[in-house]
Amino acid sequence: MKNFQALLASVVLLGASVVSSEEYEKLPLRTHSIYAPYVDQDLQNRWFSFGGDAYVNTNKHIRITQDRQSETGWLWSRLPMSTPNYEIEIEFKISGTGGHLFGDGMAFWLTTTRTEFGPVFGSKDNFEGIGVFIDTYSNTRHSYSFPRIMAMVNDGTKSYDLGNDGAQQEAGACSASLRKVDMRTKIRMTYIRGKRFTVELQYKQWDEWTPCFEIQNITLPSTPYLGISAITGDVHDAHDIISISSNSLTTKLTSTHEDPTTKRKKGLGGSGEGSWTWTLFKLVAFGGICTGGFRAWKVYNARGNKWSNKRF
């Protein structure tokens, strides 16, 4: 009995997970996606702009900063997001010649403003929206390791605590060794308005997504711009963007329950009605044959008795 209950619970949980994963369907957002060769014949991109020290290698990547000191670069969408629920998958690479000292890091933004330089990984402070930071250089001691991936949610009134690496401002965070790895590194950010903001990482194996954090009951600005920025100081790294793939998430109509009236119709008409009629006909016919046979036997038996009583 206990084994049956455990099996039943597993089936219920599996069913719940399937429903959750299939709750939304993806529709590509071309306005917030970018791939090689990144630019057109006029060396521009219709949906994104880049600036600062960023430059485009049409065969490989958009390099936000080179592996040099004191560089700042950015890549921003020209249009704001107009969908309430979305998923953004970004392939990036952080590499450099530094063995023990490197930095400073890069940031992914969903904010109300765009293309403004500042001290927060190359972008403005006191932003409105959310920033997801990949911090590769620790400015002070912490109980966790670096690189550190953290999110800061801001209403425009808070200043990022650079000296403490935003430790007291984390809305969600994790540590991951995603610098100078031998495979494609990706970050996937999923936002469901008013419900959750989830960050997952691919850095161990291809198509193996490691959960980083999830922020519950979060509402971001309704029309944020998508941006990426990076900065180097005395320590440095190359920060590259290989591709951005964005999707709008729309609610699926997942109800598969059948209308009870349909079931009744199926039971009373169509092929069901024909099969019941045929069965009834066969029963009546069989009963008639049995009745007729019984009566014939009685008549035959009576006649037999009559002839057997005669004497010659």
Side-chain angles (χ1 to χ4, degrees), residues 81-134:
M81 286 278 191
S82 59
T83 179
N85 309 315
Y86 44 83
E87 176 189 87
I88 303 167
E89 190 173 300
I90 302 173
E91 183 179 345
F92 65 95
K93 184 177 182 180
I94 301 175
S95 60
T97 56
H100 298 288
L101 294 175
F102 44 83
D104 283 302
M106 65 192 308
F108 307 101
W109 303 97
L110 288 163
T111 56
T112 55
T113 57
R114 61 185 294 273
T115 67
E116 296 186 50
F117 286 108
V120 187
F121 297 94
S123 193
K124 67 168 290 187
D125 203 355
N126 300 99
F127 57 90
E128 185 177 353
I130 191 170
V132 178
F133 311 141
I134 300 182

Side-chain angles (χ1 to χ4, degrees), residues 48-280:
F48 283 84
S49 58
F50 55 91
D53 294 304
Y55 75 90
V56 176
N57 182 327
T58 56
N59 296 319
K60 296 175 66 177
H61 52 236
I62 301 172
R63 178 149 286 180
I64 308 298
T65 69
Q66 299 184 71
D67 188 14
R68 298 176 182 173
Q69 292 182 338
S70 304
E71 288 209 347
T72 303
W74 50 259
L75 173 71
W76 282 92
S77 66
R78 296 182 184 273
L79 299 176
M81 286 278 191
S82 59
T83 179
N85 309 315
Y86 44 83
E87 176 189 87
I88 303 167
E89 190 173 300
I90 302 173
E91 183 179 345
F92 65 95
K93 184 177 182 180
I94 301 175
S95 60
T97 56
H100 298 288
L101 294 175
F102 44 83
D104 283 302
M106 65 192 308
F108 307 101
W109 303 97
L110 288 163
T111 56
T112 55
T113 57
R114 61 185 294 273
T115 67
E116 296 186 50
F117 286 108
V120 187
F121 297 94
S123 193
K124 67 168 290 187
D125 203 355
N126 300 99
F127 57 90
E128 185 177 353
I130 191 170
V132 178
F133 311 141
I134 300 182
D135 194 347
T136 54
Y137 181 80
S138 175
N139 290 303
T140 187
R141 291 187 177 182
H142 299 284
S143 59
Y144 44 80
S145 61
F146 278 66
R148 183 73 168 172
I149 298 89
M150 67 156 284
M152 178 179 174
V153 181
N154 202 343
D155 59 2
T157 64
K158 305 182 188 78
S159 179
Y160 176 67
D161 185 2
L162 180 62
N164 291 308
D165 304 304
Q168 304 303 316
Q169 299 168 314
E170 292 180 350
C174 70
S175 298
S177 300
L178 41 68
R179 178 183 178 271
K180 291 185 72 173
V181 296
D182 294 331
M183 63 159 297
R184 294 179 176 180
T185 48
K186 293 184 179 184
I187 185 170
R188 182 161 65 198
M189 302 177 289
T190 306
Y191 174 63
I192 306 298
R193 178 177 291 179
K195 294 183 179 180
R196 61 184 179 273
F197 182 88
T198 305
V199 170
E200 302 167 279
L201 302 169
Q202 177 191 280
Y203 67 100
K204 297 178 181 179
Q205 294 183 26
W206 175 253
D207 206 29
E208 179 183 324
W209 289 95
T210 303
C212 183
F213 60 82
E214 182 172 284
I215 306 170
Q216 295 284 342
N217 304 318
I218 180 174
T219 300
L220 297 178
S222 57
T223 54
Y225 293 94
L226 170 62
I228 296 138
S229 64
I231 192 170
T232 65
D234 293 333
V235 294
H236 45 86
D237 261 336
H239 300 91
D240 301 330
I241 297 298
I242 290 87
S243 66
I244 302 174
S245 177
S246 298
N247 293 286
S248 172
L249 302 179
T250 59
T251 305
K252 284 186 176 182
L253 298 175
T254 56
S255 176
T256 58
H257 299 293
E258 192 173 31
D259 187 350
T261 58
T262 305
K263 290 185 177 180
R264 287 196 295 269
K265 288 177 182 178
K266 287 184 178 180
L268 296 174
S271 60
E273 182 180 6
S275 58
W276 276 110
T277 303
W278 176 242
T279 302
L280 182 61

